[in-house]
Amino acid sequence: MASGTYLLEGVNNVTEFIFWGLSQNPEVEEVCFVLFSFFYMVIVLGNLLIMLTVCFGNLFRSPMYFFLNFLSFVDICYSSVTAPKMIVDLLVKEKTISYTGCMLQLFGVHFFGCTEIFILTVMAYDRYVAICKPLHYMTIMDRERCNKMLLGTWVGGFLHSIIQVALVVQLPFCGPNEIDHYFCDVHPVLKLACTETYIVGVVVTANSGTIALGSFVILLISYTVILVSLRKQSAEGRRKALSTCGSHIAVVIIFFGPCTFMYMRPDTTFSEDKMVAVFYTIITPMLNPLIYTLRNAEVKNAMRKLWTRKVSWETTRK
């Protein structure tokens, strides 16, 4: 009975958490504020530009750009879960977040992060079908199947994140309430629970690790098969396929490298975690638009046509 009372009190004791943030140095924080404000602006504008280009540049009918459109949307949502709060916190001395806000942030990070992993996996499958089975491509990747696959990515992300949050909310938190991070993630929050978290930590790692490792293996197999099959194609076909797949592979490496470091390990935290988290929550969503536009002639041409159309329209108005 005493134990049950203690657990109940533990849950009610902590109503907010305090972040340590990226740095304790005010001068460093000022530099980070300018830097990450710029990064976040690039994320929003860059990904919005891709979404507008796909929607108004007649690319939406193509399965690859159909998924790219939603990848850009997820990138904006994913970075928006952590970046605005982090940027504001760089200007204040006490960086607090409510218990409910912390759980919502944890849910958002894992929901959009996992959804992005699944979308990248689906995009790899799309490239596999396009290159290895070109004659059946539009039959296999018809709009109905694309919609089902997209729905599957959102459902998978939701199930993953709801499991993570369900494991955390049932734990008692009775102090301390300081998180050595700039957002609420599973491992730093588990360190604050005033009960044994070994089992929860194992389940959390298994949940995240299975998704990260499983998706990464599928991606590696897909792109290996694609690269092997390119030997049978013409020089022009190889060049075009490598250009498209090269951008996908770059995104996969940039995103999965940090994710694997963070979630494919036991329930432990390192001092480097914050810098690694910056990479997959801010740097990757910022680089995605650059990678997909600079290495993709079709997207660049669609952007040029939209810009020409806009200039022509404005000239006509005058």
Side-chain angles (χ1 to χ4, degrees):
M1 182 69 185
S3 175
T5 304
Y6 171 75
L7 290 178
L8 183 61
E9 289 176 356
V11 171
N12 295 331
N13 271 354
V14 173
T15 57
E16 67 176 18
F17 295 101
I18 299 171
F19 294 133
W20 284 13
L22 285 173
S23 173
Q24 307 296 311
N25 187 324
E27 292 179 359
V28 173
E29 287 186 319
E30 288 176 7
V31 174
C32 287
F33 173 79
V34 175
L35 197 62
F36 288 114
S37 295
F38 172 73
F39 285 170
Y40 185 60
M41 183 178 67
V42 171
I43 290 169
V44 174
L45 295 179
N47 283 290
L48 275 177
L49 180 60
I50 284 186
M51 291 171 68
L52 290 171
T53 302
V54 171
C55 290
F56 296 106
N58 295 322
L59 298 177
F60 206 72
R61 299 189 195 114
S62 166
M64 182 175 80
Y65 297 110
F66 172 78
F67 292 119
L68 177 59
N69 181 66
F70 285 98
L71 178 67
S72 295
F73 174 72
V74 169
D75 272 336
I76 293 174
C77 296
Y78 186 40
S79 58
S80 296
V81 173
T82 58
K85 169 68 176 163
M86 180 196 71
I87 292 167
V88 171
D89 282 348
L90 288 168
L91 296 179
V92 299
K93 189 172 182 181
E94 194 168 273
K95 311 166 190 0
T96 61
I97 186 170
S98 67
Y99 176 86
T100 303
C102 183
M103 294 303 111
L104 287 173
Q105 193 177 56
L106 193 155
F107 175 84
V109 167
H110 283 268
F111 175 54
F112 292 113
C114 186
T115 301
E116 177 151 345
I117 286 175
F118 289 144
I119 289 178
L120 289 172
T121 307
V122 168
M123 289 176 77
Y125 175 72
D126 169 72
R127 289 301 84 203
Y128 163 76
V129 176
I131 293 169
C132 298
K133 300 181 180 180
L135 298 178
H136 305 285
Y137 178 61
M138 294 312 297
T139 304
I140 296 173
M141 299 298 292
D142 60 12
R143 183 44 56 91
E144 183 182 356
R145 180 163 296 178
C146 287
N147 287 331
K148 287 179 180 178
M149 292 170 81
L150 183 66
L151 177 62
T153 65
W154 289 103
V155 172
F158 177 79
L159 291 175
H160 162 73
S161 54
I162 206 71
I163 290 171
Q164 302 291 75
V165 173
L167 290 168
V168 175
V169 294
Q170 49 89 30
L171 296 173
F173 294 94
C174 46
N177 66 335
E178 295 184 353
I179 299 176
D180 185 14
H181 216 305
Y182 65 90
F183 70 91
C184 287
D185 203 359
V186 178
H187 292 313
V189 172
L190 285 181
K191 287 180 68 176
L192 302 181
C194 49
T195 187
E196 176 58 51
T197 60
Y198 175 76
I199 300 298
V200 173
V202 169
V203 176
V204 162
T205 302
N207 184 16
S208 300
T210 301
I211 291 170
L213 182 62
S215 299
F216 191 50
V217 169
I218 291 171
L219 288 164
L220 284 178
I221 293 171
S222 298
Y223 286 119
T224 301
V225 172
I226 288 170
L227 292 174
V228 170
S229 68
L230 287 178
R231 293 184 300 177
K232 303 173 185 176
Q233 299 202 11
S234 64
E236 176 62 22
R238 279 200 301 271
R239 188 196 62 77
K240 189 175 180 181
L242 283 172
S243 176
T244 304
C245 290
S247 59
H248 291 205
I249 292 169
V251 170
V252 166
I253 292 171
I254 292 170
F255 186 73
F256 275 88
C259 280
T260 303
F261 174 79
M262 290 293 291
Y263 299 112
M264 281 289 299
R265 69 184 196 215
D267 181 26
T268 54
T269 56
F270 299 117
S271 57
E272 297 85 4
D273 285 356
K274 284 186 279 190
M275 287 301 104
V276 174
V278 165
F279 215 85
Y280 65 80
T281 58
I282 294 177
I283 304 300
T284 303
M286 181 184 69
L287 291 178
N288 279 358
L290 298 174
I291 291 170
Y292 280 111
T293 52
L294 294 177
R295 293 188 58 87
N296 195 308
E298 201 168 356
V299 174
K300 285 191 283 188
N301 289 335
M303 284 181 176
R304 285 195 201 100
K305 288 178 183 176
L306 282 176
W307 179 253
T308 305
R309 195 186 309 169
K310 179 180 180 294
V311 171
S312 301
W313 181 74
E314 288 182 351
T315 304
T316 305
R317 282 185 64 191
K318 291 177 182 178

